Amino acid sequence: MNKKIPLGATIALIIISVALTISVTMVIAMRQFNSKVSDVGKRQVMFEYITDIDKAVRQHYAGAIDEEKLREALTKGYIDGIGDPYASYYTAAQYRVQVDRMAGKKTGLGLQVTLSSDEQLKIAEVDKNSAAERAGVLQGDVITALDGTPVYPSDYDRVTQQLAGASKIIVTVQRGDQSTAFELSPSPYTTNSVEGRMIDTTGYIRISEFNDLTLDQFKSVYAGLEEQGAQQYIFDLRGNTGGQLSTASGVIEYLMPRGVYAHRTDSAGTVTDLTDADSYQMDKASVTLVNQSTAGEAELFAGVLQEFGKTVVVGTQTAGRGLTQEYFSISSDGSAVRLSVAKLSLITGGEFEGGGITPNMVVGMTEEQERDFAFLTDAQDPQLQGALTAVKQPLPTTTTAAATTAATEPVSTEPAPTEENTSSEQ
């Protein structure tokens, strides 16, 4: 027999429920209010302190103040003081360069210079579509003079600065027994962040960064290697310092099965699942090459594929930048700040900020190999040789190579049940 609850008791319960809800809401609101008041108070103290300093300087400093330089220094100091190791301030001109870079565009000579192990100023890389490529500059050329003035290995810093700042420059290089001079001027060009080729039956894909053009370039290169009969893949992310999270996610999702593959936690503590809804996934064995310069979104790529058994990671411990950054423009003058806005974490491995991704097979390089990285042949590259060995085996194994030590616990290659060297670019 059902008992009827008296009307008075029902009304009382409703009133109590409403009261509790209001109380909880008020407590939360008061906490937020107190926090904001505290923040406002702290900011007021800080602004008063800066005002006192500014007052003392303007009343007593005997020199002239460059207002633009002072404002830039104050902004940089503020960003340096917030404790974000990846935060930066960019002038309007510097921010325009970053915007272009994210869009896959650059303006410059299109060459990278390195000081090789044999103490020569060598061209480490020539960008496709750039002024340097169009002029005929080649990787491995040795720079001997700029604008007719001889340069030497000890001039490395000056050479890189001169190349970066020149509106027009004559670069003289030594190529074998021949000396050639190239007149170069900076020009805009579209970058190529993905390159691929066949190594025997293995498709080799190098991803240098994740910009707006990377995903389409990756799909094109991958499809081309498939047509050439690639039986397995090597993804080379050495020196890849990350880039756009949306682009890196797109490449990951092209290779992964459907489902959640990682998490993003913002400054408010809100967790967002990174989810693959793409029907395509890679069905072949792969190895991902990493080193100490592999960072951010590139680490996410390696960590996700490793965790799901889609790749074997070969190389050295990665940089450990598990925070993702965004740019925020300052409308008053076109400058911008770059801030860390969220943490990235793997499904089971958790956050990799400060720790990085541990390779299945640790293969290092000697100091000489690091300095000459751009000039190593396939046979001279111990990490690539380790990858070529590992990609044809069902499980990673402990190997010994030049500067190689140990291997970590192997990761299954079966699908989950659920869905650097010193160089300067000009």
Side-chain angles (χ1 to χ4, degrees):
M1 182 176 65
N2 296 328
K3 289 185 176 181
K4 293 184 177 180
I5 300 176
L7 179 61
T10 301
I11 294 174
L13 287 172
I14 293 173
I15 292 173
I16 291 172
S17 177
V18 171
L20 285 172
T21 301
I22 293 174
S23 298
V24 171
T25 302
M26 287 185 65
V27 168
I28 295 174
M30 284 301 295
R31 286 180 178 175
Q32 292 177 340
F33 176 77
N34 290 335
S35 176
K36 289 181 179 179
V37 168
S38 176
D39 288 343
V40 170
K42 290 177 181 177
R43 281 193 293 173
Q44 183 65 31
V45 170
M46 180 184 68
F47 292 150
E48 289 176 356
Y49 183 73
I50 293 175
T51 299
D52 288 343
I53 293 175
D54 184 65
K55 182 178 179 181
V57 170
R58 294 183 186 278
Q59 286 182 347
H60 304 291
Y61 177 51
I65 297 176
D66 185 327
E67 298 294 343
E68 183 64 27
K69 185 177 180 180
L70 176 61
R71 182 173 65 171
E72 185 175 321
L74 283 170
T75 307
K76 287 182 177 179
Y78 185 100
I79 295 301
D80 288 343
I82 65 176
D84 182 350
Y86 313 115
S88 299
Y89 164 75
Y90 297 90
T91 64
Q94 292 170 336
Y95 180 48
R96 286 193 295 271
V97 171
Q98 294 302 312
V99 170
D100 284 346
R101 183 184 63 80
M102 290 185 290
K105 302 175 182 178
K106 288 182 182 178
T107 298
L109 303 180
L111 53 83
Q112 294 183 32
V113 181
T114 188
L115 184 59
S116 62
S117 63
D118 58 356
E119 296 299 318
Q120 291 184 312
L121 295 171
K122 288 186 177 181
I123 306 295
E125 191 169 340
V126 179
D127 292 342
K128 290 184 177 179
N129 311 313
S130 67
E133 184 194 49
R134 292 194 300 270
V137 179
L138 298 178
Q139 181 189 54
D141 286 348
V142 179
I143 299 178
T144 58
L146 294 180
D147 285 334
T149 302
V151 294
Y152 306 95
S154 58
D155 299 323
Y156 174 78
D157 290 338
R158 179 174 67 83
V159 167
T160 57
Q161 292 173 7
Q162 191 171 345
L163 289 171
S167 57
K168 180 181 291 186
I169 192 167
I170 298 175
V171 181
T172 303
V173 303
Q174 190 72 27
R175 186 182 302 166
D177 296 330
Q178 183 179 1
S179 179
T180 307
F182 300 96
E183 184 174 325
L184 304 176
S185 296
S187 64
Y189 62 97
T190 300
T191 62
N192 190 15
S193 59
V194 184
E195 296 180 350
R197 58 189 172 91
M198 291 292 293
I199 304 178
D200 193 17
T201 62
T202 301
Y204 169 87
I205 300 178
R206 179 193 175 202
I207 309 173
S208 58
E209 67 176 350
F210 292 102
N211 61 47
D212 290 344
L213 304 179
T214 302
L215 179 56
D216 287 341
Q217 291 177 354
F218 178 84
K219 289 181 178 180
S220 176
V221 169
Y222 186 90
L225 294 175
E226 284 282 277
E227 291 178 358
Q228 295 179 57
Q231 297 178 16
Q232 54 274 321
Y233 286 92
I234 292 175
F235 304 119
D236 193 345
L237 272 66
R238 291 176 293 180
N240 185 324
T241 57
Q244 303 281 68
L245 177 59
S246 58
T247 300
S249 297
V251 177
I252 291 170
E253 291 162 15
Y254 188 71
L255 303 173
M256 286 286 294
R258 289 184 178 183
V260 177
Y261 59 86
H263 303 297
R264 177 187 183 275
T265 305
D266 66 20
S267 58
T270 303
V271 179
T272 302
D273 291 337
L274 300 182
T275 306
D276 180 14
D278 198 326
S279 59
Y280 180 82
Q281 65 170 302
M282 178 176 62
D283 59 358
K284 296 174 181 175
S286 77
V287 164
T288 298
L289 280 170
V290 299
N291 63 8
Q292 63 274 14
S293 298
T294 304
E297 292 74 13
E299 292 178 275
L300 180 70
F301 177 102
V304 168
L305 267 66
Q306 180 191 55
E307 192 166 83
F308 278 75
K310 303 293 286 185
T311 201
V312 173
V313 178
V314 173
T316 55
Q317 195 80 10
T318 60
R321 181 172 66 80
L323 303 180
T324 184
Q325 290 75 42
E326 291 183 11
Y327 293 86
F328 299 90
S329 62
I330 309 302
S331 58
S332 60
D333 65 352
S335 62
V337 292
R338 179 177 183 252
L339 303 172
S340 296
V341 297
K343 292 181 179 180
L344 300 173
S345 58
L346 304 175
I347 297 295
T348 60
E351 298 175 6
F352 51 88
E353 166 66 22
I357 303 300
T358 300
N360 300 96
M361 182 187 298
V362 178
V363 183
M365 284 189 175
T366 64
E367 182 179 350
E368 183 176 341
Q369 289 169 334
E370 290 280 0
R371 291 182 66 177
D372 293 338
F373 178 76
F375 314 112
L376 297 178
T377 65
D378 290 352
Q380 295 170 335
D381 186 338
Q383 293 174 334
L384 178 57
Q385 289 302 309
L388 289 169
T389 298
V391 78
K392 296 181 180 180
Q393 297 178 356
L395 289 173
T397 58
T398 303
T399 62
T400 301
T404 299
T405 53
T408 63
E409 194 69 24
V411 175
S412 171
T413 56
E414 292 298 317
T418 59
E419 302 187 317
E420 145 192 311
N421 64 318
T422 302
S423 63
S424 178
E425 184 173 358
Q426 314 303 329

